[in-house]
Amino acid sequence: MVGHSGDSACIPLIGYNEPPKNRMERYRVLERIVAHTQFCMSGDHTLEAIEDAVEEVTSVEGDEHFVFVLSDANLRRYGISPAHLAQAMKRNPKVKVHAIFIASLGEQSRVLEKNLPPGAAFTCLDTHTLPGVFHKLLHADLAR
């Protein structure tokens, strides 16, 4: 699992097959994320992060390849159009890329959702529903 910000398209958080073993390890991952957000530069590396993630996930053998992008939907501010985002998401047809917009900017996320491939984007207005969003997206993909 990696993150992205104004500083970088790839901020390693958790290695492959190295999930946090307990609550304290999960908490430490969250601490690193929060600490990074407090000191990173303004900017956006969403497109580069998607491209890197698609390349990275296909370097590992598997039956299915998924990339989940979490964003605040504030992409227009950085000149990222829905067309550019869609192009990055469709870069490799073997990889199912989903964008989940944690929407404090609800209208922008709905515009993005409407202009991306069907089923590829989801607006989450309440973070408590995030586990259900992942379940819904994975279930829909595996049912195809």
Side-chain angles (χ1 to χ4, degrees), residues 27-94:
Y27 180 73
R28 287 190 182 121
V29 172
L30 294 174
E31 277 186 320
R32 282 199 321 257
I33 293 169
V34 170
H36 182 82
T37 63
Q38 292 174 340
F39 301 105
C40 69
M41 297 295 293
S42 179
D44 194 286
H45 284 91
T46 302
L47 297 179
E48 297 92 337
I50 293 170
E51 291 165 0
D52 290 353
V54 166
E55 188 173 315
E56 178 69 24
V57 76
T58 55
S59 72
V60 178
E61 189 176 327
D63 295 335
E64 305 265 357
H65 299 290
F66 298 93
V67 170
F68 294 94
V69 181
L70 280 80
S71 172
D72 64 1
N74 194 13
L75 302 177
R76 184 175 57 191
R77 175 180 178 188
Y78 300 104
I80 299 173
S81 71
H84 290 124
L85 190 58
Q87 182 179 2
M89 292 173 73
K90 294 189 287 185
R91 180 181 180 133
N92 184 331
K94 293 179 182 178

Side-chain angles (χ1 to χ4, degrees), residues 104-120:
S104 55
L105 302 167
E107 187 55 38
Q108 285 185 37
S109 67
R110 283 188 264 290
V111 168
L112 287 165
E113 191 175 343
K114 190 168 107 176
N115 288 288
L116 292 174

